[in-house]
Amino acid sequence: MVTYATELKTVLLGVDAVMLARHGAVYPPVAVAMANGVRTRLGATYGLATTGVAGPEPADGQPVGTAHIAVSVADDTVVRTIALTGDRQQIRRLTVENALGLLLGSLGKRSTDYSVTLAANTGWHDLAD
């Protein structure tokens, strides 16, 4: 789900509207709630969420380059806050790369049945048979 609009975070993912009003969308617990929401509402094993400020201007009192990334699994949710530099496109790309890295780390903790790697400029490749 792409829930760029704050209202969609509440309607589609179940993020608490009071929390969003009080802290804004760029807040670590919002990333956690988004990851939990996408996992539970879609019946997925993993939920992955990002929220942040790619620019060009600060938002929600946060500087450009701030990103919060969360991965949710039934028994665990991990959130990371990163500070990135670059233009809007670079910040968005680095946020996705960090999010996929966090997801990959979660997958590695939970399964030895397959390997996944990130190939430069080509996307994700499942190396399993």
Side-chain angles (χ1 to χ4, degrees):
M1 291 184 181
V2 177
T3 55
Y4 186 78
T6 300
E7 180 182 348
L8 293 178
K9 289 173 178 50
T10 298
V11 173
L12 297 177
L13 300 177
V15 178
D16 182 62
V18 173
M19 177 173 55
L20 285 165
R22 182 173 293 140
H23 300 284
V26 185
Y27 182 57
V30 169
V32 169
M34 290 171 63
N36 288 334
V38 75
R39 180 183 55 79
T40 58
R41 291 185 177 214
L42 296 179
T45 303
Y46 291 85
L48 176 64
T50 65
T51 186
V53 185
E57 300 295 325
D60 291 335
Q62 300 297 314
V64 171
T66 301
H68 307 293
I69 302 164
V71 173
S72 172
V73 185
D75 62 344
D76 189 31
T77 301
V78 176
V79 64
R80 297 285 183 266
T81 298
I82 55 177
L84 303 167
T85 58
D87 63 26
R88 182 175 173 82
Q89 182 178 353
Q90 291 167 324
I91 290 168
R92 292 175 73 187
R93 180 182 51 79
L94 290 169
T95 299
V96 169
E97 288 178 9
N98 278 273
L100 293 173
L102 188 59
L103 176 61
L104 180 60
S106 293
L107 290 170
K109 289 180 187 177
R110 302 196 186 299
S111 176
T112 57
D113 295 337
Y114 60 91
S115 295
V116 178
T117 188
L118 178 64
N121 300 320
T122 60
W124 288 97
H125 296 278
D126 189 344
L127 300 179
D129 293 328

